[in-house]
Every structure is written in C-alpha cells, then in structure tokens.
Amino acid sequence: QVQLVESGGGLVQPGDSLTLSCATSGFTFSSSALRWYRLAPGKERELVAALTSSGTGIYYADSIKGRAIISRDLGKDTTFLQIKTLKPEDTAKYYCNAASTWTGPDLGSWGPGTQVTVSS
C-alpha cells in the first residue's frame, strides 16, 4: 500500500525558505516519477513540481519556477521540495505523490500534507 507522509512546513515570513520532505513507501521509489502539489483555500489542487524517474527531467509550475528545487534521496525513498523567497501566495497545504510514468495517474491516496503559511 502506497504511503506518503509530508513534513517540514511551518509559519514563515516573506522571503524565507523552506524544505519540505515526503517519506514514501509501498512502491518502487527509484522507478517512479515524483510530484509535489499544493492546495490553497478556495483553489484547486495545483501541481507545482515533478521529477522523472530517471531524475533528469523536471517540471515547475510558473508560480514557483526559479524559486524551487525538487529532489530525492534514493536511499531513503524520500522526496524534497525546497522553496526559496517564499511569498504570501505560496500559503497552502503541500502534498506529494508518485506515478509509474510521467503522465500517469497518481499512485497513492493523499497523505496528511504539510501546511506552509507565509505571513509577516
């Protein structure tokens, strides 16, 4: 069974940085594409970053492009999303997921997510 547990969120000030983590299990991490989403109040869930199974292909949404880095630790089956220069509009609950192929459906049910609140 696919399990996803996000962590690392918090209350930060505009301009700060955060690194979110997602510990995973229940699927072959090294051969899966990895995805980070966020869900803000009143908005639809947004795919903000993705990493191919090879680790060489990356997608960033325009909303965080240039400020974010998606990465993974193959030894710990964990994916990370670092976001720099945080803005109030980055406030959302962040979730990870995985897929067997780049365009395939998400593998697992949503984890608890990790809340990021950017406010002065």
PDB file of all heavy atoms in Angstrom, residues 11-14 87-88 91 117-120:
ATOM      1  N   LEU A  11       5.122  28.214   9.733  1.00  0.00           N
ATOM      2  CA  LEU A  11       4.800  29.628   9.573  1.00  0.00           C
ATOM      3  C   LEU A  11       6.104  30.373   9.341  1.00  0.00           C
ATOM      4  O   LEU A  11       6.996  30.332  10.199  1.00  0.00           O
ATOM      5  CB  LEU A  11       4.103  30.155  10.824  1.00  0.00           C
ATOM      6  CG  LEU A  11       3.847  31.656  10.878  1.00  0.00           C
ATOM      7  CD1 LEU A  11       2.941  32.101   9.733  1.00  0.00           C
ATOM      8  CD2 LEU A  11       3.251  32.043  12.231  1.00  0.00           C
ATOM      9  N   VAL A  12       6.218  31.012   8.202  1.00  0.00           N
ATOM     10  CA  VAL A  12       7.442  31.719   7.845  1.00  0.00           C
ATOM     11  C   VAL A  12       7.104  33.115   7.352  1.00  0.00           C
ATOM     12  O   VAL A  12       5.957  33.410   7.029  1.00  0.00           O
ATOM     13  CB  VAL A  12       8.242  30.967   6.771  1.00  0.00           C
ATOM     14  CG1 VAL A  12       8.680  29.595   7.283  1.00  0.00           C
ATOM     15  CG2 VAL A  12       7.435  30.824   5.496  1.00  0.00           C
ATOM     16  N   GLN A  13       8.133  33.937   7.266  1.00  0.00           N
ATOM     17  CA  GLN A  13       7.945  35.298   6.780  1.00  0.00           C
ATOM     18  C   GLN A  13       8.243  35.365   5.286  1.00  0.00           C
ATOM     19  O   GLN A  13       9.005  34.532   4.760  1.00  0.00           O
ATOM     20  CB  GLN A  13       8.867  36.249   7.540  1.00  0.00           C
ATOM     21  CG  GLN A  13       8.531  36.379   9.014  1.00  0.00           C
ATOM     22  CD  GLN A  13       9.316  37.482   9.688  1.00  0.00           C
ATOM     23  OE1 GLN A  13      10.384  37.874   9.220  1.00  0.00           O
ATOM     24  NE2 GLN A  13       8.778  38.012  10.778  1.00  0.00           N
ATOM     25  N   PRO A  14       7.678  36.324   4.606  1.00  0.00           N
ATOM     26  CA  PRO A  14       8.006  36.506   3.192  1.00  0.00           C
ATOM     27  C   PRO A  14       9.519  36.631   3.010  1.00  0.00           C
ATOM     28  O   PRO A  14      10.193  37.313   3.788  1.00  0.00           O
ATOM     29  CB  PRO A  14       7.295  37.807   2.824  1.00  0.00           C
ATOM     30  CG  PRO A  14       6.137  37.862   3.777  1.00  0.00           C
ATOM     31  CD  PRO A  14       6.652  37.282   5.062  1.00  0.00           C
ATOM     32  N   LYS A  87       6.528  33.639  -0.760  1.00  0.00           N
ATOM     33  CA  LYS A  87       5.588  34.740  -0.889  1.00  0.00           C
ATOM     34  C   LYS A  87       4.275  34.375  -0.191  1.00  0.00           C
ATOM     35  O   LYS A  87       3.966  33.179  -0.053  1.00  0.00           O
ATOM     36  CB  LYS A  87       5.304  35.006  -2.372  1.00  0.00           C
ATOM     37  CG  LYS A  87       6.531  35.235  -3.223  1.00  0.00           C
ATOM     38  CD  LYS A  87       6.150  35.362  -4.693  1.00  0.00           C
ATOM     39  CE  LYS A  87       7.359  35.546  -5.580  1.00  0.00           C
ATOM     40  NZ  LYS A  87       6.985  35.678  -7.013  1.00  0.00           N
ATOM     41  N   PRO A  88       3.501  35.350   0.197  1.00  0.00           N
ATOM     42  CA  PRO A  88       2.203  35.032   0.819  1.00  0.00           C
ATOM     43  C   PRO A  88       1.347  34.113  -0.059  1.00  0.00           C
ATOM     44  O   PRO A  88       0.612  33.267   0.475  1.00  0.00           O
ATOM     45  CB  PRO A  88       1.571  36.409   1.003  1.00  0.00           C
ATOM     46  CG  PRO A  88       2.742  37.328   1.184  1.00  0.00           C
ATOM     47  CD  PRO A  88       3.785  36.790   0.253  1.00  0.00           C
ATOM     48  N   THR A  91       1.221  30.312   0.392  1.00  0.00           N
ATOM     49  CA  THR A  91       0.492  29.715   1.508  1.00  0.00           C
ATOM     50  C   THR A  91      -0.463  28.651   1.006  1.00  0.00           C
ATOM     51  O   THR A  91      -1.319  28.918   0.164  1.00  0.00           O
ATOM     52  CB  THR A  91      -0.278  30.799   2.280  1.00  0.00           C
ATOM     53  OG1 THR A  91       0.664  31.704   2.872  1.00  0.00           O
ATOM     54  CG2 THR A  91      -1.139  30.192   3.372  1.00  0.00           C
ATOM     55  N   THR A 117       2.561  28.434   5.706  1.00  0.00           N
ATOM     56  CA  THR A 117       1.896  29.721   5.850  1.00  0.00           C
ATOM     57  C   THR A 117       2.955  30.813   5.791  1.00  0.00           C
ATOM     58  O   THR A 117       3.907  30.802   6.582  1.00  0.00           O
ATOM     59  CB  THR A 117       1.123  29.815   7.165  1.00  0.00           C
ATOM     60  OG1 THR A 117       0.166  28.747   7.225  1.00  0.00           O
ATOM     61  CG2 THR A 117       0.389  31.146   7.269  1.00  0.00           C
ATOM     62  N   VAL A 118       2.807  31.692   4.820  1.00  0.00           N
ATOM     63  CA  VAL A 118       3.762  32.774   4.631  1.00  0.00           C
ATOM     64  C   VAL A 118       3.078  34.078   5.006  1.00  0.00           C
ATOM     65  O   VAL A 118       2.148  34.520   4.337  1.00  0.00           O
ATOM     66  CB  VAL A 118       4.273  32.829   3.182  1.00  0.00           C
ATOM     67  CG1 VAL A 118       5.371  33.888   3.052  1.00  0.00           C
ATOM     68  CG2 VAL A 118       4.778  31.469   2.733  1.00  0.00           C
ATOM     69  N   SER A 119       3.548  34.662   6.083  1.00  0.00           N
ATOM     70  CA  SER A 119       2.895  35.871   6.588  1.00  0.00           C
ATOM     71  C   SER A 119       3.877  36.679   7.413  1.00  0.00           C
ATOM     72  O   SER A 119       4.716  36.127   8.119  1.00  0.00           O
ATOM     73  CB  SER A 119       1.688  35.492   7.445  1.00  0.00           C
ATOM     74  OG  SER A 119       1.114  36.643   8.029  1.00  0.00           O
ATOM     75  N   SER A 120       3.739  37.987   7.304  1.00  0.00           N
ATOM     76  CA  SER A 120       4.564  38.866   8.130  1.00  0.00           C
ATOM     77  C   SER A 120       3.828  39.243   9.409  1.00  0.00           C
ATOM     78  O   SER A 120       4.357  39.979  10.241  1.00  0.00           O
ATOM     79  CB  SER A 120       4.955  40.112   7.351  1.00  0.00           C
ATOM     80  OG  SER A 120       3.807  40.766   6.864  1.00  0.00           O
TER      81      SER A 120
END
